[in-house]
Amino acid sequence: MPMPVPRRTLLAAGAATLAVPALAQVPWPSRPIRLVIPFAPGGSTDVIGRLLAEHMAPRLGQPIIVDNRGGAGATLGTGLVADAPPDGYTVLLSPVSAFNVGATLYRGRITWDPVRSFAHVAMIQRGYYALLANRNAPFANPAELAAEARRRPGLTYATSGVGSLPHLVMLRFAQIANIELTHVPYRGGGQAVADTIAGTVPVTLDGIAASVGFLRQGQIRGIGFTGPARHPDFPDMPTFVEHGFPQLVAEGWAGFSFPAAVPRPVQQRFADVTREVLALPVVRERYRGLANDVGDRFMDDFQRFVAEEVETWRPLVLASGATVD
């Protein structure tokens, strides 16, 4: 007959069993987080992403390591995050270009869906685009650029890449103005702006945040703005609207997005920390210095916004005739 197990031993074994699930649930985050920015360093999106990572890391208790993965209209880095393990340690700085334009433009070449493949947790910025010209360029507004392109068909312009929203805006501009422009795609807006300053290309369109310093120092000229009215910080920069192109009001945005299956508590924690950092006076002051607006949508609200944006822009991308070839 087997000896009875002492009650104390049974209680100890039961306690150990109960402890196993608790020990298995390691608090998030317990290691560094990778922030994938699907552009080359130096552009407006990169500037914002690094600013927020700097302030979010100490609040999360782990480093946020920026990983620039530019290419294919921001769809390359976006796809890396869509395919990443849904453990909360890979997050995308999700740009308007990848979702509003790239998801349609690169259809058939990507395996992710702009809505179903992601948990969009926080909008981090909103802002318009600036048409920037070399200081010696012979045009000072969109109408003069169109006139110059009629004299010189094939006039070149730079953007952050094929399939970027600036690329689509410039395609629409060329169609509406009935001119021929030649696109020079870069892997990020920073280098496109640098080459415009150097005179390698005469003009580029980029988020205004990447060029604020150059504009204020007079290193580059702002000759067009995609807002409905002139920017208060740059009242001398004309709009496309006032020069006869009301169709070219275009606002950009960026956010933070996880792979869709990341646990909801992790999404919420990241969203809450993002919201907290966006409210910091030092961050808001930096945004003002970059001539950008702070994002204002989180979790389900932002998820709905992205879905609506994709549906709004899809027919415009198709109608533009833009291709990736």
Side-chain angles (χ1 to χ4, degrees):
M1 180 176 179
M3 295 289 292
V5 179
R7 183 171 181 273
R8 182 180 300 174
T9 304
L10 286 171
L11 291 173
T17 302
L18 291 172
V20 170
L23 290 173
Q25 294 177 7
V26 179
W28 179 91
S30 60
R31 54 187 170 87
I33 298 166
R34 179 172 67 144
L35 172 61
V36 175
I37 298 180
F39 292 110
S44 55
T45 308
D46 184 69
V47 171
I48 293 294
R50 290 175 183 274
L51 169 68
L52 297 184
E54 175 188 348
H55 289 278
M56 291 177 68
R59 288 166 173 79
L60 289 167
Q62 291 291 337
I64 298 178
I65 300 170
V66 174
D67 183 4
N68 292 92
R69 294 296 187 99
T75 63
L76 178 62
T78 300
L80 290 176
V81 176
D83 294 335
D87 54 12
Y89 291 98
T90 305
V91 62
L92 173 71
L93 198 161
S94 43
V96 60
S97 296
F99 296 99
N100 287 14
V101 183
T104 298
L105 195 61
Y106 286 83
R107 63 194 183 281
R109 301 190 184 193
I110 59 176
T111 58
W112 49 267
D113 181 87
V115 178
R116 293 190 298 272
S117 298
F118 295 94
H120 300 292
V121 299
M123 176 190 284
I124 60 173
Q125 68 97 8
R126 305 182 77 152
Y128 296 99
Y129 296 91
L131 186 62
L132 305 162
N134 179 270
R135 290 187 304 173
N136 298 318
F139 36 78
N141 57 58
E144 291 183 3
L145 172 60
E148 181 68 15
R150 292 187 186 97
R151 289 190 291 269
R152 289 195 292 147
L155 183 75
T156 58
Y157 70 93
T159 74
S160 56
V162 173
S164 64
L165 195 140
H167 178 207
L168 181 60
V169 169
M170 292 302 288
L171 281 174
R172 293 178 70 191
F173 172 58
Q175 290 173 343
I176 295 165
N178 194 27
I179 56 177
E180 180 184 337
L181 298 173
T182 299
H183 184 213
V184 181
Y186 284 75
R187 291 179 66 85
Q191 190 57 52
V193 172
D195 277 9
T196 302
I197 293 172
T200 306
V201 288
V203 66
T204 185
L205 187 75
D206 191 31
I208 197 169
S211 310
V212 166
F214 300 127
L215 285 165
R216 289 175 177 153
Q217 295 163 16
Q219 294 179 267
I220 200 167
R221 286 193 299 157
I223 66 166
F225 186 58
T226 67
R230 294 195 181 200
H231 195 288
D233 291 347
F234 301 100
D236 294 333
M237 188 190 308
T239 66
F240 281 89
V241 172
E242 68 191 76
H243 283 277
F245 304 101
Q247 308 94 325
L248 294 176
V249 173
E251 184 180 21
W253 53 263
F256 285 142
S257 305
F258 282 112
V262 166
R264 180 83 176 189
V266 172
Q267 298 178 32
Q268 189 66 61
R269 173 98 191 277
F270 201 85
D272 290 344
V273 171
T274 303
R275 189 196 299 264
E276 179 184 343
V277 165
L278 288 173
L280 292 173
V282 65
V283 170
R284 287 184 171 263
E285 183 61 31
R286 180 71 170 129
Y287 268 70
R288 282 192 290 270
L290 293 169
N292 243 324
D293 294 325
V294 173
D296 57 359
R297 296 178 184 272
F298 300 89
M299 297 297 286
D300 294 340
D301 185 29
F302 186 39
Q303 188 80 22
R304 284 191 296 269
F305 174 83
V306 174
E308 291 166 1
E309 283 279 281
V310 170
E311 291 307 312
T312 296
W313 280 88
R314 180 177 285 124
L316 299 176
V317 176
L318 295 173
S320 75
T323 67
V324 295
D325 300 316

